[in-house]
Amino acid sequence: MNKDTLDTIIKLLDRSGPIVIVGHKNPDGDAIGSSLGLSLFLRNRGHQTQVVMPNDFPEFLKWLPDCSNIQCYDRNPGEVRNSIEQANLIFVLDFNALERTGDLEEELRRSEAPFVMIDHHQQPDDFAAATYSDVSMSSTSEMVYHLIEALDGVKEISTDMSTNLYTGIMTDTGSFRFPATTATTHRVIAKLIEAGANGSEIHEQIYDTNSPDKIKLLGVALKNLEILPDFRTAYISLSQKELDSNNFRKGDTEGFVNYALSVQGVIFAVIFIENKQEGITKISFRSKGSFSVNEFARSHFNGGGHTNAAGGRSNKGLRATINEFISILPHYKNALIHAS
Ligand code: 5GP
Ligand code: MN
């Protein structure tokens, strides 16, 4: 983190009253883990903090220390509005454009409190008083650790803080295997283990708590797998009907797209998930090597993210969205064939 950014954050913290910490819509392990880790650290230093999320988070994260104090805008809009109105400092974590907070965007824009952004996605918007943005970072949770270190707070990291930050780093790095995992990431993980995080228990809580419905839905997803060898591409689709008949719950499709990416020779993988209630098809993109799914998602599907992991959406139905995708692919044939 550069010195100016750190100095600004220190100044903002010095004069701050209530602090709100916000993650992105459909929060994942990194959004929740980084927010709770930072919140517990700041609270321990005497600050008043409140974590708020645009909507609910998956069941497999619902054991994280202090997660029961999170306020969700979709369930309790009045409560979240109050917290934001009272805050005089707002941390935005794991996203870099306010529209990533869905309906909460309006409430955030109304606030006069300065923002501090901590994020590792590409192309950050310029709205924060302090922007700590680093696209080379494995996760926002790793960045929160670096902020704590810069604030001379490593000795203050508790078991609860380290459990949250470990979870965020673990989930965003696919258990320390994606390319953004560095020697420094592992050093941070070592410090978090020393501070009390139990890696093996965390793995079990996140990965070995699948419901039978989720595993059956995975079976449907794998049956629907289509491979396009000419484009080194594979995609999966799930219709609303398929989701309904397997009692789909938030988070159940997490990680499915990685099965498409694991097919030999495939460097571009996509999952299309129909959401009739919102009238959209939600899309997750993954790639290996130099092919940028951030660019692809931004250019065609109102999305973005990282080079190798991005998301987006279409306002069309499932079949129409897939057809659109297939019609776009030939424009990328060269890039896909020659990607390193
Ligand atoms: P996922 O596919 O797991 O939902 O998201 C992959 C990555 O892309 C995550 O880092 C996530 O924050 C980002 N992402 C997901 N959906 C969107 C979107 O609609 N817009 C943008 N800008 N980023 C997204
Ligand atoms: Mn992240």
Tab-separated table of all heavy atoms in Angstrom, residues 24 26 28 94-97 99-100 120-121 172 254 257 282-286 294 298 301-306 309-313, ligand 1:
chain	number	residue	atom	x	y	z
A	24	HIS	N	-19.844	-6.719	-1.529
A	24	HIS	CA	-20.635	-6.680	-2.766
A	24	HIS	C	-21.871	-7.578	-2.690
A	24	HIS	O	-21.995	-8.422	-1.806
A	24	HIS	CB	-19.786	-7.080	-3.978
A	24	HIS	CG	-19.091	-8.411	-3.836
A	24	HIS	ND1	-19.733	-9.609	-4.006
A	24	HIS	CD2	-17.800	-8.720	-3.542
A	24	HIS	CE1	-18.883	-10.602	-3.831
A	24	HIS	NE2	-17.698	-10.093	-3.537
A	26	ASN	N	-24.409	-10.571	-3.510
A	26	ASN	CA	-24.091	-12.001	-3.513
A	26	ASN	C	-22.707	-12.239	-2.899
A	26	ASN	O	-21.803	-12.784	-3.552
A	26	ASN	CB	-24.143	-12.585	-4.931
A	26	ASN	CG	-25.518	-12.414	-5.535
A	26	ASN	OD1	-26.524	-12.506	-4.832
A	26	ASN	ND2	-25.569	-12.136	-6.825
A	28	ASP	N	-19.332	-13.376	-1.288
A	28	ASP	CA	-18.643	-14.668	-1.240
A	28	ASP	C	-17.754	-14.720	0.004
A	28	ASP	O	-17.784	-13.823	0.851
A	28	ASP	CB	-17.839	-14.860	-2.537
A	28	ASP	CG	-16.838	-13.733	-2.778
A	28	ASP	OD1	-16.675	-12.856	-1.897
A	28	ASP	OD2	-16.203	-13.722	-3.845
A	94	ASP	N	-13.837	-5.609	-1.370
A	94	ASP	CA	-13.965	-6.668	-2.364
A	94	ASP	C	-14.828	-6.253	-3.558
A	94	ASP	O	-15.355	-7.110	-4.253
A	94	ASP	CB	-14.492	-7.968	-1.724
A	94	ASP	CG	-14.115	-9.194	-2.558
A	94	ASP	OD1	-13.020	-9.209	-3.140
A	94	ASP	OD2	-14.934	-10.127	-2.650
A	95	PHE	N	-14.980	-4.950	-3.778
A	95	PHE	CA	-15.587	-4.470	-5.028
A	95	PHE	C	-15.081	-3.060	-5.281
A	95	PHE	O	-14.556	-2.418	-4.361
A	95	PHE	CB	-17.120	-4.519	-4.971
A	95	PHE	CG	-17.747	-3.558	-4.010
A	95	PHE	CD1	-18.133	-2.293	-4.431
A	95	PHE	CD2	-17.947	-3.901	-2.681
A	95	PHE	CE1	-18.726	-1.389	-3.553
A	95	PHE	CE2	-18.540	-3.018	-1.797
A	95	PHE	CZ	-18.929	-1.763	-2.228
A	96	ASN	N	-15.220	-2.593	-6.538
A	96	ASN	CA	-14.605	-1.296	-6.845
A	96	ASN	C	-15.500	-0.362	-7.644
A	96	ASN	O	-15.050	0.629	-8.191
A	96	ASN	CB	-13.257	-1.520	-7.553
A	96	ASN	CG	-13.419	-2.253	-8.878
A	96	ASN	OD1	-14.513	-2.293	-9.443
A	96	ASN	ND2	-12.331	-2.814	-9.386
A	97	ALA	N	-16.794	-0.688	-7.716
A	97	ALA	CA	-17.769	0.188	-8.373
A	97	ALA	C	-19.058	0.058	-7.565
A	97	ALA	O	-19.501	-1.062	-7.281
A	97	ALA	CB	-18.004	-0.249	-9.811
A	99	GLU	N	-22.066	0.257	-8.143
A	99	GLU	CA	-23.192	-0.511	-8.714
A	99	GLU	C	-23.121	-1.994	-8.341
A	99	GLU	O	-24.116	-2.712	-8.471
A	99	GLU	CB	-23.241	-0.335	-10.238
A	99	GLU	CG	-22.098	-1.034	-10.930
A	99	GLU	CD	-21.765	-0.442	-12.298
A	99	GLU	OE1	-22.048	0.735	-12.534
A	99	GLU	OE2	-21.197	-1.192	-13.113
A	100	ARG	N	-21.951	-2.459	-7.873
A	100	ARG	CA	-21.815	-3.860	-7.449
A	100	ARG	C	-22.581	-4.156	-6.156
A	100	ARG	O	-22.625	-5.289	-5.704
A	100	ARG	CB	-20.330	-4.215	-7.276
A	100	ARG	CG	-19.548	-4.252	-8.564
A	100	ARG	CD	-19.733	-5.554	-9.309
A	100	ARG	NE	-19.057	-6.654	-8.648
A	100	ARG	CZ	-19.647	-7.793	-8.283
A	100	ARG	NH1	-20.928	-7.975	-8.497
A	100	ARG	NH2	-18.953	-8.738	-7.692
A	120	HIS	N	-9.229	-5.875	-4.949
A	120	HIS	CA	-8.235	-6.439	-5.873
A	120	HIS	C	-8.796	-6.684	-7.276
A	120	HIS	O	-8.173	-7.413	-8.059
A	120	HIS	CB	-7.642	-7.723	-5.292
A	120	HIS	CG	-8.614	-8.850	-5.124
A	120	HIS	ND1	-8.312	-10.149	-5.452
A	120	HIS	CD2	-9.878	-8.886	-4.660
A	120	HIS	CE1	-9.339	-10.932	-5.184
A	120	HIS	NE2	-10.314	-10.182	-4.708
A	121	HIS	N	-9.955	-6.121	-7.602
A	121	HIS	CA	-10.489	-6.274	-8.962
A	121	HIS	C	-9.910	-5.218	-9.899
A	121	HIS	O	-9.406	-4.193	-9.453
A	121	HIS	CB	-12.018	-6.173	-8.940
A	121	HIS	CG	-12.665	-7.303	-8.205
A	121	HIS	ND1	-12.961	-7.254	-6.873
A	121	HIS	CD2	-13.047	-8.531	-8.623
A	121	HIS	CE1	-13.506	-8.398	-6.495
A	121	HIS	NE2	-13.568	-9.196	-7.536
A	172	ASP	N	-10.940	-17.397	-2.114
A	172	ASP	CA	-10.619	-16.655	-3.335
A	172	ASP	C	-9.449	-17.250	-4.113
A	172	ASP	O	-9.290	-16.963	-5.300
A	172	ASP	CB	-10.331	-15.177	-3.018
A	172	ASP	CG	-11.460	-14.269	-3.497
A	172	ASP	OD1	-12.615	-14.729	-3.479
A	172	ASP	OD2	-11.185	-13.115	-3.900
A	254	GLU	N	-21.743	-22.663	-6.301
A	254	GLU	CA	-20.369	-22.196	-6.084
A	254	GLU	C	-19.371	-23.285	-6.497
A	254	GLU	O	-19.470	-24.437	-6.032
A	254	GLU	CB	-20.215	-21.905	-4.583
A	254	GLU	CG	-18.997	-21.126	-4.210
A	254	GLU	CD	-19.208	-19.631	-4.355
A	254	GLU	OE1	-20.344	-19.150	-4.186
A	254	GLU	OE2	-18.215	-18.946	-4.644
A	257	VAL	N	-18.411	-24.205	-11.963
A	257	VAL	CA	-17.750	-23.810	-13.213
A	257	VAL	C	-16.328	-24.387	-13.288
A	257	VAL	O	-15.801	-24.633	-14.384
A	257	VAL	CB	-17.762	-22.264	-13.365
A	257	VAL	CG1	-16.911	-21.565	-12.307
A	257	VAL	CG2	-17.319	-21.848	-14.756
A	282	LYS	N	-27.575	-15.342	-14.856
A	282	LYS	CA	-26.305	-14.983	-14.199
A	282	LYS	C	-25.207	-15.848	-14.799
A	282	LYS	O	-25.406	-17.037	-15.059
A	282	LYS	CB	-26.446	-15.206	-12.688
A	282	LYS	CG	-25.204	-14.917	-11.872
A	282	LYS	CD	-24.975	-13.404	-11.635
A	282	LYS	CE	-23.638	-13.138	-10.932
A	282	LYS	NZ	-22.595	-12.532	-11.736
A	283	ILE	N	-24.058	-15.234	-15.063
A	283	ILE	CA	-22.977	-15.952	-15.740
A	283	ILE	C	-21.684	-15.845	-14.938
A	283	ILE	O	-21.360	-14.765	-14.423
A	283	ILE	CB	-22.735	-15.363	-17.157
A	283	ILE	CG1	-24.069	-15.088	-17.872
A	283	ILE	CG2	-21.870	-16.304	-17.983
A	283	ILE	CD1	-23.905	-14.285	-19.142
A	284	SER	N	-20.976	-16.942	-14.816
A	284	SER	CA	-19.624	-16.926	-14.249
A	284	SER	C	-18.649	-17.380	-15.312
A	284	SER	O	-18.901	-18.371	-16.010
A	284	SER	CB	-19.514	-17.872	-13.053
A	284	SER	OG	-20.171	-17.340	-11.941
A	285	PHE	N	-17.542	-16.648	-15.425
A	285	PHE	CA	-16.502	-16.963	-16.408
A	285	PHE	C	-15.206	-17.319	-15.689
A	285	PHE	O	-14.848	-16.664	-14.712
A	285	PHE	CB	-16.218	-15.739	-17.290
A	285	PHE	CG	-17.411	-15.212	-18.031
A	285	PHE	CD1	-18.164	-14.158	-17.517
A	285	PHE	CD2	-17.773	-15.756	-19.250
A	285	PHE	CE1	-19.259	-13.660	-18.205
A	285	PHE	CE2	-18.866	-15.259	-19.953
A	285	PHE	CZ	-19.611	-14.208	-19.433
A	286	ARG	N	-14.510	-18.330	-16.194
A	286	ARG	CA	-13.189	-18.658	-15.665
A	286	ARG	C	-12.259	-18.930	-16.839
A	286	ARG	O	-12.702	-19.412	-17.886
A	286	ARG	CB	-13.233	-19.922	-14.782
A	286	ARG	CG	-14.113	-19.820	-13.549
A	286	ARG	CD	-13.559	-18.852	-12.520
A	286	ARG	NE	-14.351	-18.842	-11.308
A	286	ARG	CZ	-15.392	-18.015	-11.090
A	286	ARG	NH1	-15.767	-17.144	-12.006
A	286	ARG	NH2	-16.033	-18.075	-9.948
A	294	ASN	N	-12.218	-10.964	-17.703
A	294	ASN	CA	-12.649	-9.621	-17.299
A	294	ASN	C	-13.078	-8.829	-18.533
A	294	ASN	O	-14.172	-8.256	-18.579
A	294	ASN	CB	-11.512	-8.912	-16.557
A	294	ASN	CG	-11.804	-7.437	-16.303
A	294	ASN	OD1	-12.846	-7.092	-15.770
A	294	ASN	ND2	-10.895	-6.574	-16.715
A	298	ARG	N	-16.908	-7.757	-19.448
A	298	ARG	CA	-17.171	-6.329	-19.579
A	298	ARG	C	-17.737	-5.982	-20.950
A	298	ARG	O	-18.676	-5.194	-21.070
A	298	ARG	CB	-15.859	-5.543	-19.420
A	298	ARG	CG	-15.695	-4.894	-18.090
A	298	ARG	CD	-14.322	-4.255	-17.941
A	298	ARG	NE	-13.938	-4.352	-16.545
A	298	ARG	CZ	-14.270	-3.453	-15.623
A	298	ARG	NH1	-14.935	-2.371	-15.960
A	298	ARG	NH2	-13.937	-3.622	-14.370
A	301	PHE	N	-21.265	-8.876	-21.386
A	301	PHE	CA	-22.280	-9.315	-20.423
A	301	PHE	C	-22.357	-8.464	-19.155
A	301	PHE	O	-22.598	-8.989	-18.064
A	301	PHE	CB	-22.068	-10.803	-20.087
A	301	PHE	CG	-22.363	-11.715	-21.255
A	301	PHE	CD1	-21.322	-12.263	-22.002
A	301	PHE	CD2	-23.669	-12.003	-21.632
A	301	PHE	CE1	-21.589	-13.088	-23.102
A	301	PHE	CE2	-23.948	-12.823	-22.719
A	301	PHE	CZ	-22.909	-13.370	-23.454
A	302	ASN	N	-22.185	-7.148	-19.295
A	302	ASN	CA	-22.374	-6.204	-18.173
A	302	ASN	C	-21.651	-6.616	-16.908
A	302	ASN	O	-22.183	-6.466	-15.810
A	302	ASN	CB	-23.873	-6.088	-17.794
A	302	ASN	CG	-24.720	-5.720	-18.973
A	302	ASN	OD1	-24.465	-4.710	-19.600
A	302	ASN	ND2	-25.699	-6.567	-19.275
A	303	GLY	N	-20.460	-7.147	-17.063
A	303	GLY	CA	-19.788	-7.657	-15.871
A	303	GLY	C	-18.350	-7.233	-15.778
A	303	GLY	O	-17.953	-6.177	-16.284
A	304	GLY	N	-17.560	-8.058	-15.128
A	304	GLY	CA	-16.143	-7.772	-14.943
A	304	GLY	C	-15.578	-8.664	-13.868
A	304	GLY	O	-16.209	-9.641	-13.468
A	305	GLY	N	-14.394	-8.326	-13.404
A	305	GLY	CA	-13.752	-9.128	-12.356
A	305	GLY	C	-12.253	-9.134	-12.534
A	305	GLY	O	-11.642	-8.073	-12.610
A	306	HIS	N	-11.696	-10.327	-12.655
A	306	HIS	CA	-10.249	-10.483	-12.801
A	306	HIS	C	-9.941	-11.101	-14.170
A	306	HIS	O	-10.846	-11.526	-14.878
A	306	HIS	CB	-9.693	-11.423	-11.735
A	306	HIS	CG	-10.163	-11.136	-10.357
A	306	HIS	ND1	-9.606	-10.149	-9.569
A	306	HIS	CD2	-11.138	-11.697	-9.605
A	306	HIS	CE1	-10.214	-10.133	-8.398
A	306	HIS	NE2	-11.150	-11.054	-8.394
A	309	ALA	N	-11.071	-14.824	-13.557
A	309	ALA	CA	-12.381	-15.095	-12.921
A	309	ALA	C	-13.213	-13.828	-12.997
A	309	ALA	O	-12.792	-12.770	-12.536
A	309	ALA	CB	-12.207	-15.503	-11.461
A	310	ALA	N	-14.377	-13.951	-13.631
A	310	ALA	CA	-15.240	-12.773	-13.734
A	310	ALA	C	-16.694	-13.231	-13.742
A	310	ALA	O	-16.991	-14.422	-13.868
A	310	ALA	CB	-14.921	-11.993	-15.007
A	311	GLY	N	-17.570	-12.251	-13.571
A	311	GLY	CA	-18.994	-12.561	-13.596
A	311	GLY	C	-19.719	-11.556	-14.467
A	311	GLY	O	-19.162	-10.517	-14.842
A	312	GLY	N	-20.960	-11.873	-14.803
A	312	GLY	CA	-21.755	-10.949	-15.584
A	312	GLY	C	-23.185	-11.442	-15.635
A	312	GLY	O	-23.539	-12.400	-14.930
A	313	ARG	N	-24.002	-10.758	-16.424
A	313	ARG	CA	-25.406	-11.184	-16.527
A	313	ARG	C	-25.977	-10.786	-17.871
A	313	ARG	O	-25.404	-9.948	-18.578
A	313	ARG	CB	-26.222	-10.535	-15.411
A	313	ARG	CG	-26.828	-9.202	-15.813
A	313	ARG	CD	-27.119	-8.346	-14.660
A	313	ARG	NE	-25.898	-8.133	-13.899
A	313	ARG	CZ	-25.859	-7.546	-12.699
A	313	ARG	NH1	-26.951	-7.161	-12.148
A	313	ARG	NH2	-24.724	-7.337	-12.086
B	1	5GP	P1	-18.339	-15.284	-9.588
B	1	5GP	O1	-18.313	-15.840	-10.951
B	1	5GP	O2	-17.736	-16.236	-8.595
B	1	5GP	O3	-19.671	-14.741	-9.175
B	1	5GP	O4	-17.381	-14.029	-9.610
B	1	5GP	C1	-16.072	-14.081	-10.125
B	1	5GP	C2	-15.383	-12.744	-9.911
B	1	5GP	O5	-16.017	-11.747	-10.705
B	1	5GP	C3	-15.491	-12.245	-8.469
B	1	5GP	O6	-14.280	-11.615	-8.145
B	1	5GP	C4	-16.644	-11.278	-8.494
B	1	5GP	O7	-16.493	-10.293	-7.532
B	1	5GP	C5	-16.598	-10.725	-9.910
B	1	5GP	N1	-17.970	-10.511	-10.422
B	1	5GP	C6	-19.016	-11.381	-10.377
B	1	5GP	N2	-20.117	-10.862	-10.962
B	1	5GP	C7	-19.778	-9.616	-11.382
B	1	5GP	C8	-20.495	-8.578	-12.062
B	1	5GP	O8	-21.679	-8.678	-12.391
B	1	5GP	N3	-19.792	-7.441	-12.324
B	1	5GP	C9	-18.470	-7.294	-11.971
B	1	5GP	N4	-17.842	-6.140	-12.265
B	1	5GP	N5	-17.773	-8.251	-11.337
B	1	5GP	C10	-18.398	-9.400	-11.046
